[in-house]
Amino acid sequence: MIITIDGPAGSGKSTAAKKLAEALDITHLDTGATYRALTLAALRAGIDLEDESALIDMVGRIDIKMGYTDGNLRVTLDGEDVSREIRAADVSDNSHYVACSVGVRDVLVAMQRRMGAELVGESGGFVAEGRDQGSVVFPDADVKFYLDASCEVRARRRCDEMPDADYEQVLRAIRTRDERDSTRPVAPLIKPDGAVVIDTTDMNIEEVTAELLSHVRSAK
Ligand code: DC
């Protein structure tokens, strides 16, 4: 079974994807981690993030792998565990450069499809989460979801995860990312055809997971 969950930052899709995958005993494919790992590699190498050909060259040379240890996602970059480093603020702030490049996306989309095919072989399916999973990467998915929530609630959730963060600043960053994700010329964030749209503004994670599960069960 192939399930996709798309939506903006802070819509709850990561936690929901993880919980849904656990409930169905399949794997969670966090595709944002591939964009983050490349961004980290580019920042470390000091390459100009606006130089698309340098990014394309780099994505062809690095090795990104994902796996799970004790239920936690482990991302490796050329064999080094970078699971924590890819969540740093400078990686989040700069990931839009790699996400906006058609050439980079072609390589990462192929990588995500390969990872997906391996997961189908290993566990019979996966829950892929990102911005373009139901629209571009796995358009034939069995069930597609699009999660959304108000900007204010999404900013509040981010602040709950990062106690030192300033709410107004986080809210501004979320609005900027929304604008970038939905207006970019390549693979913009859209509601995929046939997706079940869920507004999580007034829902907690258990309610979101239960709702996703009930849709998946009725689709089986
Ligand atoms: O979901 P996230 O915050 O980990 O995503 C990191 C970056 O990658 C963000 O700029 C959006 C982008 N992204 C994307 O363009 N397509 C995806 N399928 C997943 C993430």
Side-chain angles (χ1 to χ4, degrees):
M1 171 156 254
I2 300 178
I3 299 167
T4 59
I5 305 184
D6 293 298
S11 56
K13 62 185 190 309
S14 298
T15 317
K18 192 166 178 238
K19 291 206 172 270
L20 181 63
E22 273 166 17
L24 295 168
D25 203 18
I26 55 181
T27 309
H28 165 209
L29 180 59
D30 173 0
T31 62
T34 62
Y35 292 89
R36 287 173 176 274
L38 173 60
T39 305
L40 177 68
L43 288 171
R44 281 180 170 179
I47 68 169
D48 176 3
L49 291 163
E50 293 189 38
D51 181 350
E52 192 179 358
S53 60
L55 291 175
I56 294 171
D57 177 58
M58 170 147 252
V59 74
R61 285 187 290 111
I62 59 174
D63 178 39
I64 302 170
K65 288 212 164 54
M66 286 199 243
Y68 276 82
T69 317
D70 301 330
N72 294 313
L73 177 67
R74 293 272 153 245
V75 181
T76 62
L77 175 62
D78 294 329
E80 177 195 343
D81 186 341
V82 291
S83 314
R84 210 163 46 88
E85 288 80 353
I86 61 166
R87 306 290 162 194
D90 62 337
V91 174
S92 303
D93 294 345
N94 287 294
S95 59
H96 64 96
Y97 291 104
V98 305
C100 283
S101 158
V102 179
V104 164
R105 293 197 78 91
D106 284 348
V107 177
L108 291 183
V109 164
M111 184 188 291
Q112 293 159 18
R113 288 188 179 135
R114 260 194 324 273
M115 288 172 170
E118 278 169 23
L119 294 175
V120 169
E122 283 166 18
S123 66
F126 56 88
V127 181
E129 168 228 326
R131 303 288 188 290
D132 58 350
Q133 299 301 291
S135 53
V136 175
V137 187
F138 302 109
D140 298 328
D142 300 291
V143 188
K144 300 179 190 181
F145 293 105
Y146 182 91
L147 299 195
D148 210 347
S150 73
C151 291
E152 291 75 13
V153 162
R154 288 157 51 211
R156 180 61 53 214
R157 288 176 184 160
R158 275 286 142 106
C159 289
D160 290 344
E161 288 164 6
M162 305 182 293
D164 296 336
D166 173 69
Y167 172 78
E168 290 301 331
Q169 211 175 332
V170 172
L171 182 60
R172 273 198 301 279
I174 283 200
R175 290 201 165 116
T176 307
R177 282 181 75 183
D178 278 5
E179 173 75 12
R180 269 191 199 131
D181 281 353
S182 53
T183 57
R184 67 187 182 200
V186 47
L189 175 64
I190 52 162
K191 296 183 179 93
D193 278 349
V196 178
V197 179
I198 301 175
D199 185 336
T200 70
T201 302
D202 297 317
M203 295 167 87
N204 63 33
I205 189 61
E206 282 71 34
E207 291 167 334
V208 176
T209 311
E211 173 126 10
L212 297 178
L213 256 178
S214 85
H215 283 286
V216 170
R217 295 207 165 115
S218 61
K220 269 187 176 176

PDB file of all heavy atoms in Angstrom, residues 57-87:
ATOM      1  N   ASP A  57      25.671  19.047  -9.641  1.00  0.00           N
ATOM      2  CA  ASP A  57      26.914  18.278  -9.595  1.00  0.00           C
ATOM      3  C   ASP A  57      27.043  17.600  -8.226  1.00  0.00           C
ATOM      4  O   ASP A  57      27.346  16.416  -8.125  1.00  0.00           O
ATOM      5  CB  ASP A  57      28.086  19.250  -9.848  1.00  0.00           C
ATOM      6  CG  ASP A  57      29.408  18.547  -9.734  1.00  0.00           C
ATOM      7  OD1 ASP A  57      29.603  17.583 -10.490  1.00  0.00           O
ATOM      8  OD2 ASP A  57      30.236  18.944  -8.877  1.00  0.00           O
ATOM      9  N   MET A  58      26.735  18.352  -7.183  1.00  0.00           N
ATOM     10  CA  MET A  58      26.879  17.820  -5.825  1.00  0.00           C
ATOM     11  C   MET A  58      25.894  16.683  -5.554  1.00  0.00           C
ATOM     12  O   MET A  58      26.272  15.657  -4.977  1.00  0.00           O
ATOM     13  CB  MET A  58      26.676  18.960  -4.831  1.00  0.00           C
ATOM     14  CG  MET A  58      26.554  18.499  -3.416  1.00  0.00           C
ATOM     15  SD  MET A  58      27.246  19.716  -2.319  1.00  0.00           S
ATOM     16  CE  MET A  58      28.714  18.939  -1.796  1.00  0.00           C
ATOM     17  N   VAL A  59      24.648  16.830  -5.993  1.00  0.00           N
ATOM     18  CA  VAL A  59      23.655  15.783  -5.692  1.00  0.00           C
ATOM     19  C   VAL A  59      24.036  14.456  -6.373  1.00  0.00           C
ATOM     20  O   VAL A  59      23.704  13.373  -5.880  1.00  0.00           O
ATOM     21  CB  VAL A  59      22.211  16.226  -6.039  1.00  0.00           C
ATOM     22  CG1 VAL A  59      21.937  16.238  -7.516  1.00  0.00           C
ATOM     23  CG2 VAL A  59      21.189  15.370  -5.313  1.00  0.00           C
ATOM     24  N   GLY A  60      24.782  14.550  -7.472  1.00  0.00           N
ATOM     25  CA  GLY A  60      25.230  13.327  -8.147  1.00  0.00           C
ATOM     26  C   GLY A  60      26.402  12.666  -7.445  1.00  0.00           C
ATOM     27  O   GLY A  60      26.720  11.505  -7.715  1.00  0.00           O
ATOM     28  N   ARG A  61      27.044  13.412  -6.542  1.00  0.00           N
ATOM     29  CA  ARG A  61      28.250  12.871  -5.906  1.00  0.00           C
ATOM     30  C   ARG A  61      28.030  12.400  -4.477  1.00  0.00           C
ATOM     31  O   ARG A  61      28.882  11.716  -3.921  1.00  0.00           O
ATOM     32  CB  ARG A  61      29.363  13.935  -5.919  1.00  0.00           C
ATOM     33  CG  ARG A  61      29.982  14.113  -7.298  1.00  0.00           C
ATOM     34  CD  ARG A  61      31.190  15.036  -7.279  1.00  0.00           C
ATOM     35  NE  ARG A  61      30.824  16.424  -7.035  1.00  0.00           N
ATOM     36  CZ  ARG A  61      31.101  17.103  -5.920  1.00  0.00           C
ATOM     37  NH1 ARG A  61      31.754  16.532  -4.950  1.00  0.00           N
ATOM     38  NH2 ARG A  61      30.735  18.358  -5.779  1.00  0.00           N
ATOM     39  N   ILE A  62      26.911  12.805  -3.856  1.00  0.00           N
ATOM     40  CA  ILE A  62      26.736  12.428  -2.444  1.00  0.00           C
ATOM     41  C   ILE A  62      25.839  11.194  -2.322  1.00  0.00           C
ATOM     42  O   ILE A  62      25.069  10.873  -3.225  1.00  0.00           O
ATOM     43  CB  ILE A  62      26.147  13.590  -1.599  1.00  0.00           C
ATOM     44  CG1 ILE A  62      24.788  14.022  -2.156  1.00  0.00           C
ATOM     45  CG2 ILE A  62      27.120  14.753  -1.535  1.00  0.00           C
ATOM     46  CD1 ILE A  62      24.076  15.051  -1.289  1.00  0.00           C
ATOM     47  N   ASP A  63      25.978  10.530  -1.178  1.00  0.00           N
ATOM     48  CA  ASP A  63      25.199   9.317  -0.925  1.00  0.00           C
ATOM     49  C   ASP A  63      24.288   9.577   0.283  1.00  0.00           C
ATOM     50  O   ASP A  63      24.767   9.785   1.389  1.00  0.00           O
ATOM     51  CB  ASP A  63      26.181   8.165  -0.645  1.00  0.00           C
ATOM     52  CG  ASP A  63      25.453   6.881  -0.332  1.00  0.00           C
ATOM     53  OD1 ASP A  63      24.420   6.615  -0.973  1.00  0.00           O
ATOM     54  OD2 ASP A  63      25.901   6.139   0.573  1.00  0.00           O
ATOM     55  N   ILE A  64      22.959   9.630   0.013  1.00  0.00           N
ATOM     56  CA  ILE A  64      21.997   9.861   1.103  1.00  0.00           C
ATOM     57  C   ILE A  64      21.266   8.549   1.372  1.00  0.00           C
ATOM     58  O   ILE A  64      20.753   7.929   0.437  1.00  0.00           O
ATOM     59  CB  ILE A  64      20.964  10.944   0.700  1.00  0.00           C
ATOM     60  CG1 ILE A  64      21.658  12.266   0.349  1.00  0.00           C
ATOM     61  CG2 ILE A  64      19.944  11.150   1.819  1.00  0.00           C
ATOM     62  CD1 ILE A  64      20.731  13.300  -0.285  1.00  0.00           C
ATOM     63  N   LYS A  65      21.236   8.156   2.641  1.00  0.00           N
ATOM     64  CA  LYS A  65      20.492   6.935   2.984  1.00  0.00           C
ATOM     65  C   LYS A  65      19.578   7.207   4.168  1.00  0.00           C
ATOM     66  O   LYS A  65      19.869   8.051   5.011  1.00  0.00           O
ATOM     67  CB  LYS A  65      21.458   5.812   3.336  1.00  0.00           C
ATOM     68  CG  LYS A  65      22.196   5.264   2.136  1.00  0.00           C
ATOM     69  CD  LYS A  65      22.509   3.774   2.286  1.00  0.00           C
ATOM     70  CE  LYS A  65      22.878   3.150   0.952  1.00  0.00           C
ATOM     71  NZ  LYS A  65      23.957   3.848   0.259  1.00  0.00           N
ATOM     72  N   MET A  66      18.452   6.493   4.192  1.00  0.00           N
ATOM     73  CA  MET A  66      17.533   6.631   5.324  1.00  0.00           C
ATOM     74  C   MET A  66      17.221   5.256   5.882  1.00  0.00           C
ATOM     75  O   MET A  66      17.097   4.290   5.129  1.00  0.00           O
ATOM     76  CB  MET A  66      16.225   7.258   4.849  1.00  0.00           C
ATOM     77  CG  MET A  66      16.355   8.722   4.559  1.00  0.00           C
ATOM     78  SD  MET A  66      14.726   9.449   4.554  1.00  0.00           S
ATOM     79  CE  MET A  66      14.669   9.979   2.889  1.00  0.00           C
ATOM     80  N   GLY A  67      17.107   5.199   7.193  1.00  0.00           N
ATOM     81  CA  GLY A  67      16.740   3.935   7.832  1.00  0.00           C
ATOM     82  C   GLY A  67      16.174   4.237   9.198  1.00  0.00           C
ATOM     83  O   GLY A  67      16.161   5.388   9.632  1.00  0.00           O
ATOM     84  N   TYR A  68      15.691   3.212   9.864  1.00  0.00           N
ATOM     85  CA  TYR A  68      15.109   3.415  11.194  1.00  0.00           C
ATOM     86  C   TYR A  68      15.876   2.639  12.243  1.00  0.00           C
ATOM     87  O   TYR A  68      16.219   1.488  12.041  1.00  0.00           O
ATOM     88  CB  TYR A  68      13.632   2.988  11.201  1.00  0.00           C
ATOM     89  CG  TYR A  68      12.759   4.112  10.705  1.00  0.00           C
ATOM     90  CD1 TYR A  68      12.589   4.325   9.348  1.00  0.00           C
ATOM     91  CD2 TYR A  68      12.166   4.992  11.594  1.00  0.00           C
ATOM     92  CE1 TYR A  68      11.832   5.388   8.883  1.00  0.00           C
ATOM     93  CE2 TYR A  68      11.410   6.049  11.149  1.00  0.00           C
ATOM     94  CZ  TYR A  68      11.242   6.249   9.799  1.00  0.00           C
ATOM     95  OH  TYR A  68      10.513   7.304   9.352  1.00  0.00           O
ATOM     96  N   THR A  69      16.174   3.310  13.386  1.00  0.00           N
ATOM     97  CA  THR A  69      16.762   2.631  14.537  1.00  0.00           C
ATOM     98  C   THR A  69      15.835   2.925  15.705  1.00  0.00           C
ATOM     99  O   THR A  69      15.572   4.098  15.998  1.00  0.00           O
ATOM    100  CB  THR A  69      18.164   3.214  14.869  1.00  0.00           C
ATOM    101  OG1 THR A  69      18.883   3.398  13.658  1.00  0.00           O
ATOM    102  CG2 THR A  69      18.938   2.308  15.802  1.00  0.00           C
ATOM    103  N   ASP A  70      15.345   1.870  16.344  1.00  0.00           N
ATOM    104  CA  ASP A  70      14.424   2.004  17.488  1.00  0.00           C
ATOM    105  C   ASP A  70      13.279   2.969  17.179  1.00  0.00           C
ATOM    106  O   ASP A  70      12.907   3.814  18.016  1.00  0.00           O
ATOM    107  CB  ASP A  70      15.175   2.505  18.746  1.00  0.00           C
ATOM    108  CG  ASP A  70      16.285   1.561  19.137  1.00  0.00           C
ATOM    109  OD1 ASP A  70      16.136   0.354  18.865  1.00  0.00           O
ATOM    110  OD2 ASP A  70      17.298   2.030  19.698  1.00  0.00           O
ATOM    111  N   GLY A  71      12.742   2.904  15.985  1.00  0.00           N
ATOM    112  CA  GLY A  71      11.600   3.743  15.626  1.00  0.00           C
ATOM    113  C   GLY A  71      11.975   5.171  15.248  1.00  0.00           C
ATOM    114  O   GLY A  71      11.098   5.972  14.943  1.00  0.00           O
ATOM    115  N   ASN A  72      13.269   5.505  15.288  1.00  0.00           N
ATOM    116  CA  ASN A  72      13.669   6.873  14.936  1.00  0.00           C
ATOM    117  C   ASN A  72      14.358   6.897  13.570  1.00  0.00           C
ATOM    118  O   ASN A  72      15.201   6.042  13.294  1.00  0.00           O
ATOM    119  CB  ASN A  72      14.639   7.443  15.980  1.00  0.00           C
ATOM    120  CG  ASN A  72      13.949   7.613  17.312  1.00  0.00           C
ATOM    121  OD1 ASN A  72      12.846   8.156  17.370  1.00  0.00           O
ATOM    122  ND2 ASN A  72      14.570   7.121  18.361  1.00  0.00           N
ATOM    123  N   LEU A  73      13.986   7.915  12.768  1.00  0.00           N
ATOM    124  CA  LEU A  73      14.573   8.035  11.438  1.00  0.00           C
ATOM    125  C   LEU A  73      16.048   8.397  11.554  1.00  0.00           C
ATOM    126  O   LEU A  73      16.415   9.314  12.278  1.00  0.00           O
ATOM    127  CB  LEU A  73      13.838   9.135  10.650  1.00  0.00           C
ATOM    128  CG  LEU A  73      14.381   9.426   9.253  1.00  0.00           C
ATOM    129  CD1 LEU A  73      14.170   8.250   8.324  1.00  0.00           C
ATOM    130  CD2 LEU A  73      13.711  10.673   8.670  1.00  0.00           C
ATOM    131  N   ARG A  74      16.890   7.654  10.834  1.00  0.00           N
ATOM    132  CA  ARG A  74      18.319   7.958  10.777  1.00  0.00           C
ATOM    133  C   ARG A  74      18.646   8.316   9.335  1.00  0.00           C
ATOM    134  O   ARG A  74      18.360   7.543   8.418  1.00  0.00           O
ATOM    135  CB  ARG A  74      19.160   6.733  11.162  1.00  0.00           C
ATOM    136  CG  ARG A  74      19.021   6.334  12.587  1.00  0.00           C
ATOM    137  CD  ARG A  74      20.030   7.070  13.477  1.00  0.00           C
ATOM    138  NE  ARG A  74      19.504   7.188  14.819  1.00  0.00           N
ATOM    139  CZ  ARG A  74      19.179   8.342  15.422  1.00  0.00           C
ATOM    140  NH1 ARG A  74      19.337   9.475  14.809  1.00  0.00           N
ATOM    141  NH2 ARG A  74      18.719   8.362  16.647  1.00  0.00           N
ATOM    142  N   VAL A  75      19.235   9.481   9.149  1.00  0.00           N
ATOM    143  CA  VAL A  75      19.620   9.908   7.806  1.00  0.00           C
ATOM    144  C   VAL A  75      21.133   9.954   7.763  1.00  0.00           C
ATOM    145  O   VAL A  75      21.771  10.556   8.649  1.00  0.00           O
ATOM    146  CB  VAL A  75      19.051  11.311   7.490  1.00  0.00           C
ATOM    147  CG1 VAL A  75      19.430  11.744   6.088  1.00  0.00           C
ATOM    148  CG2 VAL A  75      17.536  11.308   7.662  1.00  0.00           C
ATOM    149  N   THR A  76      21.733   9.309   6.764  1.00  0.00           N
ATOM    150  CA  THR A  76      23.185   9.387   6.650  1.00  0.00           C
ATOM    151  C   THR A  76      23.570  10.091   5.359  1.00  0.00           C
ATOM    152  O   THR A  76      22.885   9.986   4.337  1.00  0.00           O
ATOM    153  CB  THR A  76      23.878   8.005   6.709  1.00  0.00           C
ATOM    154  OG1 THR A  76      23.431   7.218   5.605  1.00  0.00           O
ATOM    155  CG2 THR A  76      23.594   7.268   7.999  1.00  0.00           C
ATOM    156  N   LEU A  77      24.662  10.848   5.462  1.00  0.00           N
ATOM    157  CA  LEU A  77      25.224  11.574   4.326  1.00  0.00           C
ATOM    158  C   LEU A  77      26.645  11.040   4.179  1.00  0.00           C
ATOM    159  O   LEU A  77      27.460  11.209   5.095  1.00  0.00           O
ATOM    160  CB  LEU A  77      25.221  13.076   4.641  1.00  0.00           C
ATOM    161  CG  LEU A  77      25.881  14.011   3.644  1.00  0.00           C
ATOM    162  CD1 LEU A  77      25.192  13.945   2.291  1.00  0.00           C
ATOM    163  CD2 LEU A  77      25.842  15.446   4.180  1.00  0.00           C
ATOM    164  N   ASP A  78      26.898  10.364   3.073  1.00  0.00           N
ATOM    165  CA  ASP A  78      28.197   9.713   2.857  1.00  0.00           C
ATOM    166  C   ASP A  78      28.626   8.919   4.092  1.00  0.00           C
ATOM    167  O   ASP A  78      29.772   8.998   4.544  1.00  0.00           O
ATOM    168  CB  ASP A  78      29.272  10.745   2.479  1.00  0.00           C
ATOM    169  CG  ASP A  78      28.962  11.376   1.129  1.00  0.00           C
ATOM    170  OD1 ASP A  78      28.353  10.691   0.274  1.00  0.00           O
ATOM    171  OD2 ASP A  78      29.300  12.567   0.932  1.00  0.00           O
ATOM    172  N   GLY A  79      27.682   8.185   4.651  1.00  0.00           N
ATOM    173  CA  GLY A  79      27.981   7.298   5.770  1.00  0.00           C
ATOM    174  C   GLY A  79      27.916   7.949   7.147  1.00  0.00           C
ATOM    175  O   GLY A  79      27.917   7.263   8.163  1.00  0.00           O
ATOM    176  N   GLU A  80      27.866   9.282   7.219  1.00  0.00           N
ATOM    177  CA  GLU A  80      27.810   9.967   8.526  1.00  0.00           C
ATOM    178  C   GLU A  80      26.362  10.202   8.939  1.00  0.00           C
ATOM    179  O   GLU A  80      25.550  10.675   8.137  1.00  0.00           O
ATOM    180  CB  GLU A  80      28.543  11.324   8.397  1.00  0.00           C
ATOM    181  CG  GLU A  80      28.480  12.142   9.678  1.00  0.00           C
ATOM    182  CD  GLU A  80      28.882  13.611   9.451  1.00  0.00           C
ATOM    183  OE1 GLU A  80      29.506  13.940   8.414  1.00  0.00           O
ATOM    184  OE2 GLU A  80      28.525  14.431  10.330  1.00  0.00           O
ATOM    185  N   ASP A  81      26.047   9.891  10.182  1.00  0.00           N
ATOM    186  CA  ASP A  81      24.693  10.128  10.682  1.00  0.00           C
ATOM    187  C   ASP A  81      24.465  11.637  10.858  1.00  0.00           C
ATOM    188  O   ASP A  81      25.115  12.268  11.701  1.00  0.00           O
ATOM    189  CB  ASP A  81      24.518   9.393  12.029  1.00  0.00           C
ATOM    190  CG  ASP A  81      23.077   9.478  12.529  1.00  0.00           C
ATOM    191  OD1 ASP A  81      22.323  10.362  12.070  1.00  0.00           O
ATOM    192  OD2 ASP A  81      22.698   8.647  13.382  1.00  0.00           O
ATOM    193  N   VAL A  82      23.570  12.206  10.052  1.00  0.00           N
ATOM    194  CA  VAL A  82      23.314  13.658  10.115  1.00  0.00           C
ATOM    195  C   VAL A  82      21.854  13.939  10.506  1.00  0.00           C
ATOM    196  O   VAL A  82      21.324  15.009  10.218  1.00  0.00           O
ATOM    197  CB  VAL A  82      23.648  14.346   8.759  1.00  0.00           C
ATOM    198  CG1 VAL A  82      25.149  14.339   8.488  1.00  0.00           C
ATOM    199  CG2 VAL A  82      22.879  13.691   7.606  1.00  0.00           C
ATOM    200  N   SER A  83      21.226  12.975  11.175  1.00  0.00           N
ATOM    201  CA  SER A  83      19.800  13.088  11.515  1.00  0.00           C
ATOM    202  C   SER A  83      19.499  14.379  12.279  1.00  0.00           C
ATOM    203  O   SER A  83      18.456  14.993  12.072  1.00  0.00           O
ATOM    204  CB  SER A  83      19.360  11.911  12.375  1.00  0.00           C
ATOM    205  OG  SER A  83      19.847  10.720  11.831  1.00  0.00           O
ATOM    206  N   ARG A  84      20.399  14.768  13.169  1.00  0.00           N
ATOM    207  CA  ARG A  84      20.180  15.967  13.968  1.00  0.00           C
ATOM    208  C   ARG A  84      20.558  17.225  13.169  1.00  0.00           C
ATOM    209  O   ARG A  84      19.825  18.201  13.142  1.00  0.00           O
ATOM    210  CB  ARG A  84      21.016  15.886  15.241  1.00  0.00           C
ATOM    211  CG  ARG A  84      20.409  16.610  16.422  1.00  0.00           C
ATOM    212  CD  ARG A  84      21.057  16.140  17.725  1.00  0.00           C
ATOM    213  NE  ARG A  84      22.513  16.082  17.622  1.00  0.00           N
ATOM    214  CZ  ARG A  84      23.328  17.117  17.877  1.00  0.00           C
ATOM    215  NH1 ARG A  84      22.834  18.270  18.232  1.00  0.00           N
ATOM    216  NH2 ARG A  84      24.642  16.975  17.793  1.00  0.00           N
ATOM    217  N   GLU A  85      21.690  17.157  12.497  1.00  0.00           N
ATOM    218  CA  GLU A  85      22.221  18.326  11.765  1.00  0.00           C
ATOM    219  C   GLU A  85      21.255  18.818  10.688  1.00  0.00           C
ATOM    220  O   GLU A  85      21.153  20.018  10.451  1.00  0.00           O
ATOM    221  CB  GLU A  85      23.563  17.979  11.102  1.00  0.00           C
ATOM    222  CG  GLU A  85      24.728  17.828  12.078  1.00  0.00           C
ATOM    223  CD  GLU A  85      24.778  16.489  12.794  1.00  0.00           C
ATOM    224  OE1 GLU A  85      23.831  15.676  12.667  1.00  0.00           O
ATOM    225  OE2 GLU A  85      25.779  16.261  13.500  1.00  0.00           O
ATOM    226  N   ILE A  86      20.518  17.909  10.059  1.00  0.00           N
ATOM    227  CA  ILE A  86      19.631  18.350   8.968  1.00  0.00           C
ATOM    228  C   ILE A  86      18.412  19.120   9.481  1.00  0.00           C
ATOM    229  O   ILE A  86      17.680  19.708   8.698  1.00  0.00           O
ATOM    230  CB  ILE A  86      19.159  17.181   8.051  1.00  0.00           C
ATOM    231  CG1 ILE A  86      18.369  16.140   8.849  1.00  0.00           C
ATOM    232  CG2 ILE A  86      20.323  16.580   7.285  1.00  0.00           C
ATOM    233  CD1 ILE A  86      17.605  15.154   7.959  1.00  0.00           C
ATOM    234  N   ARG A  87      18.179  19.107  10.795  1.00  0.00           N
ATOM    235  CA  ARG A  87      17.033  19.854  11.358  1.00  0.00           C
ATOM    236  C   ARG A  87      17.446  21.253  11.806  1.00  0.00           C
ATOM    237  O   ARG A  87      16.614  22.006  12.340  1.00  0.00           O
ATOM    238  CB  ARG A  87      16.429  19.113  12.567  1.00  0.00           C
ATOM    239  CG  ARG A  87      16.042  17.671  12.280  1.00  0.00           C
ATOM    240  CD  ARG A  87      14.849  17.548  11.363  1.00  0.00           C
ATOM    241  NE  ARG A  87      14.795  16.213  10.785  1.00  0.00           N
ATOM    242  CZ  ARG A  87      14.042  15.867   9.756  1.00  0.00           C
ATOM    243  NH1 ARG A  87      13.245  16.748   9.173  1.00  0.00           N
ATOM    244  NH2 ARG A  87      14.070  14.649   9.278  1.00  0.00           N
TER     245      ARG A  87
END
